[in-house]
Every structure is written in C-alpha cells, then in structure tokens.
Amino acid sequence: MNGDGSALVLVGMSVLEAGRRAELLDRARRSGATIAFLQQGEPSLSAELARLADAGAETVVLVGVRCGDTGPGPSWLRRVAAHWWREHGGRRPDVLVATRLAEGLDAVDAVASSVRPITGEEPGLTSTAWEEVTGHRHQVLVCRGPRCTAKGADATLRALVGGLGEHGLGDDDVLVVQTGCQFPCNQAPVLSVQPDDVWYGHVDPAAAGTIVTEHLLAGRPVAAHRLPRRRAAAAEAPEDLTDPGD
C-alpha cells in the first residue's frame, strides 16, 4: 500500500494466471502492487480486499489480468468486487475497477489509468439462469495443474472448446471444467471424460479435436491417447453388530 493510502491489485482472472502465479507476483512487485485471484488461486480477491481494508487502505484499484483467451470477462471482476463491498462488515475503502482487462502482463499499465468505482448497484452473484445443474451428457475435466499448464493445457482447452463450438455443442451437451492436478502428471496434458470414466494423456490440440469428434460425438473413446485406469476395489460394508433382539 502506498503512503497516500492507495493500493493496486492485479487480479488473475482464470486458472491460467493461477498457474503463472510467480510471473504475476513479479509483475505486481514492479508496480508496487499486490495480487489476488478470481478463481483457483490464493489469495482470493475477497481475502485481499479484506486484508487491505484492515490495513487502512483508502482506495483500492483492481486490474484484471488475463494471459490467454479463456476465462471470465471483466464484468465478473466487478460482480465479485461489488459483492465483497456490499457484504463486508467493517470499514470499506473506495474500490475502483479497470474498465477493461489487461490482456497479458505487459498490458497492465495501459489499462490501469481507466477505472470506474464500485457503487454497490452492480449485479449480484446469483441469477435464475444459474439455478439448476445443466442437462449435459458428458463432463470433460481438463487438468490445469502446474505440469499440464506448463505442457500446453491452455492450447488443449482452446482446441476442445473450439471443436465443441464448431459442432454446435454447448454446456447442455458437454460441460467443460478446468481442474487442479488430476495426478498422472507424466502424461500431461491430461483430461478425463465423465461419466464414461475415460482418461486421456498427452492431449495436444489435434488430439483434443479427435476426442471431440470420436468420443464426444460418436461415442468411441480414442485408444491412441487413452490411459489405463485401475479402480480400487470397493470397501466392504462394515459388519452389522446390531443385536437382532434390540
């Protein structure tokens, strides 16, 4: 926090920035800023805002940073910041949000000067459109752990989402979810398809396209990238010690 009571926070918008935490932190330090994450990273935006409020910050400027072409748009940064501002029980600083995202770490300075204040009138975190579980027939879990991310899981994700879009498949058909580490790290990038219980390794963009057309459309798992899956035996039910005479 600066001597005038102002603070700058660079906010990672997606799991890609969470995977590049060290780079984001280095960029923040060069600007006298701190970092926070909208998802799958620590500290969360809410936690960082609370910390700065407790430290006596008068003004907090939030700059959303997105290093790829996936992840939530800038409206979500305002939604989450406004939710914190409305719900925070203690002293609240003025919170200003950059009007557009910094598309990459080198773009932070270019967007930090154009900001709008949080008023508390912003949309909340709920909507009738988000009330029910989607009717998807498949859920694809794309690993975004450190190894998978380092080996190109962002490109895998783009190819997967792009392939689904080309065939007119949306969340009600195939729900794509980015996850933390799924463990067979030597096979990175890894993804799994549920409820089919099919796991894939070394999924580059070309393989992702094949998985879309062969598995998700035609129902045929792709043998060339499928990983062996040995399931643990189900635990035996505990012995019933109830006395029949009870």
Side-chain angles (χ1 to χ4, degrees):
M1 186 168 60
N2 297 324
D4 61 358
S6 65
L8 173 66
V9 183
L10 306 187
V11 184
M13 298 293 291
S14 74
V15 295
L16 178 58
E17 291 76 52
R20 297 176 62 177
R21 188 180 193 280
E23 295 175 62
L24 185 64
L25 184 59
D26 179 67
R27 179 63 184 83
R29 286 171 175 163
R30 287 187 274 125
S31 296
T34 60
I35 64 172
F37 297 92
L38 212 60
Q39 54 183 319
Q40 292 194 350
E42 298 291 341
S44 68
L45 176 56
S46 296
E48 182 62 7
L49 286 170
R51 185 191 72 80
L52 290 169
D54 291 344
E58 297 291 338
T59 304
V60 178
V61 175
L62 305 178
V63 176
V65 179
R66 186 168 61 189
C67 296
D69 53 10
T70 59
S75 64
W76 273 105
L77 182 56
R78 292 191 65 82
R79 279 181 184 264
V80 174
H83 173 78
W84 176 85
W85 196 86
R86 287 189 294 263
E87 298 293 321
H88 187 62
R91 179 188 162 280
R92 298 179 301 188
D94 294 329
V95 178
L96 297 87
V97 182
T99 56
R100 58 191 177 92
L101 298 180
E103 300 288 351
L105 297 175
D106 294 335
V108 169
D109 292 339
V111 304
S113 59
S114 178
V115 297
R116 284 194 296 130
I118 292 295
T119 66
E121 300 300 319
E122 291 79 7
L125 300 183
T126 60
S127 165
T128 55
W130 307 327
E131 185 68 25
E132 298 179 355
V133 177
T134 71
H136 58 273
R137 64 175 181 273
H138 285 107
Q139 188 171 28
V140 180
L141 309 179
V142 181
C143 181
R144 295 304 303 272
R147 295 172 185 82
C148 285
T149 298
K151 290 196 171 185
D154 52 336
T156 298
L157 176 67
R158 287 196 298 271
L160 178 70
V161 173
L164 292 170
E166 289 175 5
H167 293 282
L169 300 178
D171 289 348
D172 284 334
D173 304 293
V174 179
L175 183 62
V176 178
V177 178
Q178 300 179 67
T179 76
C181 181
Q182 295 187 39
F183 286 107
C185 306
N186 292 345
Q187 314 296 333
V190 169
L191 64 80
S192 54
V193 179
Q194 304 299 341
D196 298 355
D197 197 20
V198 173
W199 292 59
Y200 292 111
H202 303 293
V203 184
D204 58 13
T210 302
I211 290 168
V212 169
T213 56
E214 291 296 311
H215 188 161
L216 300 175
L217 280 172
R220 297 186 296 267
V222 180
H225 290 272
R226 187 171 183 176
L227 300 176
R229 169 88 158 100
R230 291 177 291 277
R231 300 182 64 177
E236 293 184 4
E239 183 180 357
D240 186 356
L241 301 179
T242 303
D243 188 332
D246 288 350

